[in-house]
Amino acid sequence: MTGMGLPPPPGLPPPPGHPQAGGMPPGGPPPAPAPVAIRALNLGEVLDGAFKLFVASWRTIVVVVGIFLVPLQLLSAYLQRDLLGGGLLEMMTDPTSAELFMQPGGAGEDLAFLLTVLQGVLVQPLITGTVAAVAAASYLGGAIQPGEALSAGLRRWWALIASWLLLIIAATLPLAVAGAVIALAAVGGLPVPAVVLAGILLVLAGVAASLAIASLFAAAPAAIVIERLGPLRGLRRSARLLRPRLLPVIGTLVVAMLLVSVLSVALGGIPQFVGMMVGGLGWVLVAVGAILAGLVTTPLLAIVVTLLYFDGRVRHEALDLRLAADAMSGDHTRWDTPGGLPGR
């Protein structure tokens, strides 16, 4: 049940002990067990498994995530280096510094904002897909190198970005509709208390709908990279696997996001705070804090959605039984292709 005897995800090397690996003859000692048991997982096991997979492949994960994040965070912090002038300490003692801080930002702040948008829209899906390749190999008891992980993710760059944009549009649509209805109610002459109450209810409904949509399609990056799907097929694949247990999936993702938020503050809060206090070259500390937080929290969320993808396959396609049967029989049918498992 560790993936022994089975081929790896596309573009990934065979796990230890596989006949194609060449490092261990058939009948030799078994490979080390995979970090996470291949079976149905509850919320706590998904979160615990995410940390285990991160620890098991942390070197590869840090390298591949760092390639994306480090340049962006350094450039973003540099562009905003003058935002606080001499830092919060000087601002507390010099009213002139506080007045300068309140003035509109310049071109540097605008470019930093564009970088943030670029990271959220274009870079984030690439990171998620690349980390999914690393997590999939580790989940099956294998390991891959940074170059192989980057190759597996970047080969699907267009599908990852397209599916991410479609997901953003779909998830923000309920909130946009709620905002439009509230605006129409406000200009329609309805009593203010009625508008406020309706607005609260509509916003809550919009948030719930957006969260449900985001959760339903959360596993799309993993499906796209592991099964080499296009954007629409990846979104449909995620919905098919996660829809039967959508409420537990939502709960898992909410808890995971809260957890990584706490970790982000714990890892990056101190250097960022010190950098903001001292100003000047403190932008370096701000960048270091953002990098430290991003190198841990960003891949953890990607691993969580990858585990949800595999959990869906275990629950609805008996992936665990198929892997065990194939390992015992020596059948090396690829599990990541349409003919690898029933229920596609």
Side-chain angles (χ1 to χ4, degrees), residues 62-325:
V62 167
V63 170
V64 298
V65 176
I67 288 173
F68 292 104
L69 283 187
V70 171
L72 286 175
Q73 294 295 349
L74 284 173
L75 182 57
S76 177
Y78 177 77
L79 291 173
Q80 299 180 86
R81 66 192 183 282
D82 297 327
L83 184 60
L84 293 178
L88 293 178
L89 288 176
E90 179 179 319
M91 193 179 301
M92 293 176 184
T93 57
D94 185 359
T96 304
S97 299
E99 293 175 1
L100 292 175
F101 172 71
M102 297 302 294
Q103 295 179 359
E109 285 74 30
D110 295 337
L111 288 175
F113 174 75
L114 289 177
L115 280 178
T116 302
V117 174
L118 174 67
Q119 177 178 332
V121 175
L122 301 181
V123 177
Q124 183 62 42
L126 299 180
I127 294 176
T128 304
T130 302
V131 173
V134 180
S138 183
Y139 180 82
L140 295 175
I144 59 174
Q145 298 302 312
E148 297 164 325
L150 287 169
S151 177
L154 292 178
R155 279 202 303 267
R156 311 302 301 166
W157 67 269
W158 66 274
L160 290 168
I161 292 175
S163 66
W164 194 259
L165 292 174
L166 290 173
L167 174 56
I168 291 174
I169 293 172
T172 55
L173 186 60
L175 289 174
V177 172
V181 173
I182 293 172
L184 290 175
V187 300
L190 293 178
V192 174
V195 172
V196 171
L197 178 59
I200 293 174
L201 294 177
L202 284 171
V203 168
L204 291 176
V207 170
S210 296
L211 183 58
I213 292 172
S215 301
L216 184 65
F217 299 117
I224 287 171
V225 170
I226 294 171
E227 301 182 33
R228 295 178 289 187
L229 303 177
L232 293 178
R233 289 185 63 197
L235 291 169
R236 288 197 300 266
R237 180 72 166 137
S238 175
R240 183 182 303 174
L241 293 174
L242 302 187
R243 184 174 56 243
R245 299 186 70 253
L246 184 57
L247 287 180
V249 168
I250 293 174
T252 300
L253 290 174
V254 168
V255 173
M257 288 187 287
L258 292 174
L259 180 60
V260 299
S261 297
V262 173
L263 283 176
S264 179
V265 174
L267 293 172
I270 293 178
Q272 288 183 319
F273 177 75
V274 173
M276 294 174 66
M277 291 295 291
V278 301
L281 290 176
W283 68 268
V284 177
L285 291 176
V286 173
V288 169
I291 290 170
L292 286 176
L295 289 177
V296 175
T297 59
T298 303
L300 276 176
L301 278 178
I303 296 173
V304 167
V305 299
T306 304
L307 283 176
L308 290 174
Y309 160 83
F310 278 115
D311 182 70
R313 294 193 66 172
V314 167
R315 293 177 183 273
H316 310 302
E317 299 176 352
L319 177 64
D320 52 342
L321 301 179
R322 180 61 181 270
L323 290 173

Side-chain angles (χ1 to χ4, degrees), residues 33-48:
V36 180
I38 302 179
R39 57 178 175 80
L41 304 174
N42 58 34
L43 186 154
E45 291 169 332
V46 169
L47 298 178
D48 180 64

